[in-house]
Amino acid sequence: MKLVLLSVIALLLSGCATYRDFPADALDHKMTTGTCGVMYYNVGKFDMLDVGGYSTLQNVFRDAKMCKKMVQVDEKPEKGLYVDVETKWKPMTVSALAFGYLSFSTLTLVPAWSTRDGYIVKYNIYVDGAMKETYRYEITRKAGVWLGLLPFAWINAFTYSEDEAFDATARQFSFDAQSFLKPQDKASRASH
């Protein structure tokens, strides 16, 4: 049993991964607070295994003050501001998949890598049931596994994680969607 556990731990540690192509600068900014009354939202389930992105988005929307009140729903309401978060997996190439299988079946004696898989995250905004805007963000995962990488696994502590990548898209969305999150009242629109 101990040998199996050590093998699994070595397998997990013998890789390096980072996330790229997402709005990383947004991580340095505070989540934008909105003045809208209520935001209804739904974070759709991921269509592939996730490593923390789904729970990160759930927590961000639950805890953020993008509107005065945040309400999780399962279906689009007929009235009000609604945000539907869709996540689609960008699959790895066939060769990356084949080498990944070969690598894991040899306990990472054979190296494998992927540079193109990741996610596409869409924040779809509806107002009173009508689609108004879609904000799209891409996340690319670059990863390699090989027993020879085991001494370098500590580098993962200094690269972007899946949690950070998804958090950054939510922060960027809170900035990009200001026209919906901080609606102007009729009096201030008339003065402009």
Side-chain angles (χ1 to χ4, degrees), residues 131-143:
M131 169 77 99
K132 295 295 182 181
E133 189 81 47
T134 295
Y135 297 92
R136 182 182 186 275
Y137 308 98
E138 201 163 317
I139 299 170
T140 302
R141 176 179 31 226
K142 297 185 181 215

Side-chain angles (χ1 to χ4, degrees), residues 3-187:
L3 182 61
V4 170
L5 184 60
L6 285 174
S7 297
V8 169
I9 290 172
L11 202 65
L12 293 174
L13 291 176
S14 64
C16 293
T18 188
Y19 292 79
R20 298 280 187 250
D21 303 327
F22 63 92
D25 292 343
L27 290 171
D28 297 331
H29 303 292
K30 185 178 174 191
M31 180 77 74
T32 303
T33 302
T35 58
C36 48
V38 177
M39 176 193 289
Y40 299 97
Y41 69 92
N42 180 39
V43 178
K45 293 280 187 190
F46 284 24
D47 57 356
M48 273 309 268
L49 175 71
D50 83 287
V51 191
Y54 176 75
S55 60
T56 295
L57 288 176
Q58 287 283 28
N59 293 338
V60 165
F61 274 85
R62 183 192 65 225
D63 300 337
K65 300 294 181 201
M66 287 188 232
C67 286
K68 293 176 185 171
K69 185 175 181 183
M70 304 292 289
V71 179
Q72 182 177 4
V73 296
D74 292 328
E75 294 181 17
K76 176 177 62 174
E78 291 182 27
K79 293 286 183 193
L81 175 63
Y82 170 66
V83 176
D84 180 43
V85 183
E86 287 181 65
T87 303
K88 183 175 177 167
W89 182 56
K90 293 188 313 182
M92 60 184 65
T93 63
V94 174
S95 60
L97 188 62
F99 273 99
Y101 178 77
L102 183 61
S103 180
F104 280 102
S105 62
T106 62
L107 296 177
T108 70
L109 288 174
V110 174
W113 61 93
S114 176
T115 60
R116 293 192 205 156
D117 71 300
Y119 302 93
I120 296 170
V121 186
K122 292 181 183 177
Y123 294 83
N124 301 308
I125 296 182
Y126 296 82
V127 176
D128 296 334
M131 169 77 99
K132 295 295 182 181
E133 189 81 47
T134 295
Y135 297 92
R136 182 182 186 275
Y137 308 98
E138 201 163 317
I139 299 170
T140 302
R141 176 179 31 226
K142 297 185 181 215
V145 291
W146 179 44
L147 197 56
L149 291 176
L150 187 57
F152 305 101
W154 59 271
I155 292 173
N156 287 329
F158 300 100
T159 62
Y160 290 117
S161 67
E162 184 169 306
D163 291 340
E164 290 170 310
F166 280 94
D167 183 45
T169 66
R171 288 173 188 267
Q172 187 65 45
F173 166 74
S174 78
F175 177 76
D176 292 343
Q178 284 302 294
S179 61
F180 296 99
L181 304 178
K182 292 188 176 183
Q184 297 177 336
D185 60 27
K186 291 176 184 172

